[in-house]
Amino acid sequence: MKRQILMNQQGDEIQVAIVEDGRLAELLIERPDSSRSVGDIYLGRVQKVVEGLQAAFIDIGQEQDGFLHFSDVGTTGEDYRAMLDEDFEEEDEEEDESAENEPNGNVAVPPAAIKQGPRDNGNIAQTANKQETAIAQPERRQSYTQMIASKLKPNDSILVQVIKEPIGTKGSRLTSDITIAGRFIVLLPFGEGHIAVSKRIINRRERRRLKTIVRSMLPKDFGAIVRTVAEEQEEALLRTDMEILLNKWKQIEESVKTAKPPKLIFKDDTITASALRDFLTEDVTEVATNSPVIHREALNYVRWAAPEMEKKITLYKGRLPLFESYGIAKDVESIFSRKVWLKSGGYLIIEQTEAMVVIDVNSGRYAAKKEQEENSLRTNLEAAKEIARQLRMRDIGGIIVIDFIDLLDERNARKVYETMKAELKRDRAKSNVLPMSDFGIMQITRERIRPSLMQRMGDECPACGGTGVIQARQTTIHQIERWLRKYAWHTKRPFTKLDLLISPTILEPLRSQDMQPEWKWFLQHLLLVRIKVDDTLRSDDFRFFIRGTTQDITQEYSSL
């Protein structure tokens, strides 16, 4: 597979495109008003602890408080032993590398490598004085919850890291298990000496070599995860990467000493540096940018991290825009389109809702042809590949429900399921797929660490509020007249002067009635209403004020 990394700068906006075989696979965007925060480390202040939710809300200076679940609260091995009143053997670390699958190197560390709560291993806790059963498993979980709740108190300071950006009304998801990602190594400052190696490094001798090197330079009580790109790398490069990470941690420690919460302590790498860190592998054939500053930054990075890649870094000077020159400009524009065409003539309809994303697969021109089962299978297989690509490209997360074309043969439905699973393996974000149901429905959950590209690049429609449908203007007029009836009935104050604010789109049908609305309402309710146009109001909205005041009385009488 041919892979390219394109870095396009337009004013204050930076776009990083990952291109696979000439097609856009992923798009990262950073703007001054929506900078990336995953990986950032804050000194936060505990606002409240909700034991029922097993979580705490942490003020880190953002609009909404961050969410810290008890399972993301780091605690030491001694704490666990004291809590469980038992000794347990430390397991040999299970090598894993979530750093390969999570953007910006935010590592989900294996339970054996970093403490994630008491182990459900069925052992019986024994006290020092009694040789009998001490705690049942549900009581252990309760003890864990109470232990964490007792550690976190309102107004306490706590060092936390962002693992998911704010989405909608939800604040950032936080963890106190700090990780700092490098090119070859992910440093775990509270790792208690555990070292894990990527599963993708399969040579046992190489795994042992890497562990030995990392262990020789790792400070006491620190942990580390060795990334896939470290395979066959010289020891000097690994030491340089470790020194950079340790210097970052030292700066964090120094900053914490004088900081007052809430305060940003550490900002993760820039979008260009993190893209090179996470995507620059042997299969990358070119890294192109139209910015001299980014070009220098990329050269400085690869000269120490991957000297053999230096010749692949190019400064684009063509007349056409960078993305257009590489043929992906249409792919970027298609992110806002709800309809995606397939080569077979079928198409997808992608609808974003509050709860989930719904994708409908349509056969298009194939519908009228013979061999319906074969054609439906062909369209569904093509759709599965394109859907997996669209999920990556648009960065769609959460629950995804796909309505495929009905298939009569269960073996064909299985083929679609296997194709979808295979395509999603190329995605860095974790996902779960369920087989197609009898109704042709497939359900997917995809890891969501930030709002989708459409949410970040677009604004909510002021007319429809994002629904795609606006209320009929006559319906709004009926609502205004019902409001006036309720107001007149409940106040019983004739000749009251009111100001009515409406959208310009409502004024035309309101004035086109047989009688002018002001006279009509006066004769019906003995109310003196003056109509004003407000460009900020939607067509389904209106406001009533007592004339001469700023008192908005709309809601007071709408709910009666």
Side-chain angles (χ1 to χ4, degrees):
M1 180 177 61
K2 179 183 176 183
R3 177 180 285 188
Q4 298 161 297
I5 302 175
L6 308 179
M7 301 181 181
N8 181 49
Q9 182 165 13
Q10 290 181 315
D12 293 334
E13 180 176 293
I14 298 175
Q15 301 174 334
V16 178
I18 310 302
V19 182
E20 296 176 354
D21 293 330
R23 300 196 72 189
L24 180 64
E26 291 189 44
L27 182 64
L28 312 175
I29 295 179
E30 186 169 74
R31 294 171 174 168
D33 59 343
S34 61
S35 60
R36 294 147 54 91
S37 62
V38 171
D40 293 351
I41 299 173
Y42 290 84
L43 182 63
R45 179 187 291 111
V46 178
Q47 290 293 90
K48 58 182 176 180
V49 179
V50 185
E51 197 169 331
L53 289 176
Q54 296 191 24
F57 292 90
I58 313 295
D59 178 13
I60 58 173
Q62 295 181 345
E63 188 174 344
Q64 293 105 359
D65 289 340
F67 181 84
L68 178 65
H69 194 269
F70 287 174
S71 63
D72 294 319
V73 177
T75 143
T76 66
E78 288 75 19
D79 287 331
Y80 290 137
R81 293 185 179 92
M83 180 187 70
L84 298 177
D85 198 17
E86 67 176 351
D87 292 328
F88 55 82
E89 293 182 1
E90 295 290 349
E91 300 173 6
D92 187 23
E93 46 288 351
E94 289 289 333
E95 290 87 354
D96 188 13
E97 178 159 38
S98 298
E100 297 301 314
N101 299 319
E102 297 211 10
N104 302 325
N106 291 282
V107 183
V109 187
I114 286 293
K115 44 291 157 203
Q116 291 292 330
R119 299 174 184 171
D120 188 8
N121 55 12
N123 291 339
I124 300 176
Q126 295 184 359
T127 66
N129 300 321
K130 297 181 181 180
Q131 302 296 322
E132 60 184 13
T133 301
I135 309 173
Q137 197 65 30
E139 291 173 340
R140 282 191 191 177
R141 295 194 193 96
Q142 183 66 18
S143 298
Y144 174 65
T145 300
Q146 292 173 345
M147 185 270 285
I148 296 296
S150 67
K151 281 178 171 287
L152 295 173
K153 299 295 183 183
N155 294 321
D156 282 354
S157 297
I158 183 171
L159 194 66
V160 291
Q161 186 172 34
V162 177
I163 55 177
K164 287 186 181 180
E165 291 184 4
I167 299 175
T169 58
K170 298 178 181 177
S172 297
R173 179 74 182 260
L174 307 174
T175 179
S176 63
D177 282 328
I178 306 298
T179 66
I180 307 175
R183 168 68 174 167
F184 306 111
I185 299 168
V186 178
L187 182 67
L188 314 176
F190 308 117
E192 295 186 329
H194 296 282
I195 301 173
V197 181
S198 168
K199 286 182 178 179
R200 299 179 190 178
I201 302 176
I202 58 177
N203 186 296
R204 290 184 175 274
R205 181 175 297 178
E206 177 63 9
R207 295 173 71 86
R208 284 195 297 268
R209 183 185 78 90
L210 292 171
K211 276 190 177 183
T212 302
I213 292 172
V214 172
R215 185 173 284 115
S216 68
M217 55 188 176
L218 201 61
K220 185 181 178 181
D221 294 332
F222 280 64
I225 292 179
V226 183
R227 308 185 70 178
T228 305
V229 288
E231 187 173 13
E232 303 295 342
Q233 295 293 340
E234 297 178 2
E235 182 176 342
L237 281 176
L238 301 180
R239 287 193 176 276
T240 301
D241 198 29
M242 179 64 78
E243 288 172 5
I244 292 172
L245 295 175
L246 290 174
N247 284 334
K248 287 182 178 179
W249 178 246
K250 186 176 180 180
Q251 293 171 10
I252 291 171
E253 287 184 313
E254 292 296 323
S255 298
V256 168
K257 291 177 183 177
T258 57
K260 293 183 179 181
K263 185 173 178 60
L264 175 65
I265 300 297
F266 171 78
K267 183 73 179 171
D268 195 29
D269 290 336
T270 63
I271 186 173
T272 52
S274 62
L276 291 171
R277 181 190 70 201
D278 297 334
F279 292 105
L280 192 60
T281 53
E282 291 180 354
D283 60 349
V284 172
T285 59
E286 183 182 14
V287 179
T289 178
N290 62 353
S291 165
V293 175
I294 295 176
H295 182 249
R296 285 194 301 271
E297 183 181 344
L299 283 175
N300 291 336
Y301 182 85
V302 300
R303 278 171 182 160
W304 80 264
E308 71 282 0
M309 306 284 283
E310 183 175 349
K311 60 181 180 292
K312 298 181 180 180
I313 311 295
T314 61
L315 178 61
Y316 176 76
K317 296 181 180 180
R319 291 185 177 182
L320 290 174
L322 178 64
F323 284 179
E324 195 167 331
S325 176
Y326 282 81
I328 63 167
K330 288 185 178 179
D331 285 338
V332 175
E333 293 172 0
S334 71
I335 289 172
F336 287 100
S337 176
R338 62 190 290 269
K339 178 181 276 191
V340 179
W341 286 99
L342 304 175
K343 290 182 180 179
S344 63
Y347 59 92
L348 311 174
I349 298 293
I350 303 176
E351 296 281 5
Q352 178 102 36
T353 70
E354 184 72 20
M356 67 185 72
V357 173
V358 181
I359 303 176
D360 185 31
V361 180
N362 292 280
S363 58
R365 62 170 179 251
Y366 266 140
K369 294 190 175 183
K370 296 180 179 179
E371 303 295 340
Q372 183 177 354
E373 181 76 4
E374 182 182 339
N375 291 330
S376 296
L377 174 61
R378 189 183 298 114
T379 302
N380 281 344
L381 290 175
E382 184 184 0
K385 295 177 181 178
E386 184 61 29
I387 288 168
R389 175 175 168 269
Q390 291 291 330
L391 295 182
R392 287 180 65 195
M393 187 175 73
R394 300 178 185 226
D395 200 9
I396 294 173
I399 300 173
I400 300 110
V401 175
I402 306 167
D403 182 11
F404 282 102
I405 302 169
D406 291 340
L407 294 169
L408 300 178
D409 193 332
E410 289 185 6
R411 292 173 298 179
N412 290 337
R414 186 75 186 180
K415 288 179 183 178
V416 177
Y417 170 63
E418 295 296 340
T419 299
M420 180 64 78
K421 283 206 305 181
E423 290 297 317
L424 288 174
K425 284 181 180 178
R426 303 166 66 178
D427 191 353
R428 292 187 304 154
K430 298 174 184 176
S431 57
N432 291 312
V433 190
L434 294 181
M436 192 185 300
S437 71
D438 293 341
F439 298 109
I441 302 296
M442 183 180 290
Q443 301 169 67
I444 300 174
T445 60
R446 184 176 183 270
E447 181 182 30
R448 177 166 53 189
I449 63 170
R450 59 178 60 88
S452 69
L453 271 180
M454 182 176 287
Q455 292 171 312
R456 281 179 280 151
M457 295 176 65
D459 293 325
E460 187 179 89
C461 172
C464 69
T467 64
V469 179
I470 61 172
Q471 179 174 283
R473 294 179 295 176
Q474 199 61 44
T475 302
T476 305
I477 293 173
H478 291 330
Q479 289 175 341
I480 292 171
E481 292 179 341
R482 281 198 296 271
W483 188 96
L484 286 168
R485 281 198 297 272
K486 287 190 284 187
Y487 178 81
W489 173 260
H490 285 281
T491 61
K492 294 183 170 48
R493 290 198 295 267
F495 307 109
T496 300
K497 296 180 179 180
L498 301 174
D499 283 340
L500 168 62
L501 275 61
I502 57 173
S503 166
T505 58
I506 301 299
L507 185 62
E508 181 185 352
L510 198 59
R511 292 293 187 195
S512 63
Q513 296 179 358
D514 293 337
M515 181 182 293
Q516 288 300 307
E518 293 93 341
W519 279 105
K520 175 183 174 182
W521 296 334
F522 176 76
L523 294 174
Q524 288 178 339
H525 311 298
L526 295 179
L527 296 175
L528 300 169
V529 181
R530 182 171 60 186
I531 299 173
K532 292 183 175 182
V533 172
D534 187 343
D535 293 331
T536 64
L537 291 177
R538 296 184 346 199
S539 60
D540 62 348
D541 201 5
F542 60 90
R543 292 285 182 271
F544 274 102
F545 291 86
I546 301 294
R547 192 178 303 175
T549 72
T550 58
Q551 183 184 355
D552 185 347
I553 57 173
T554 316
Q555 193 60 38
E556 182 180 350
Y557 294 95
S558 294
S559 56
L560 294 177

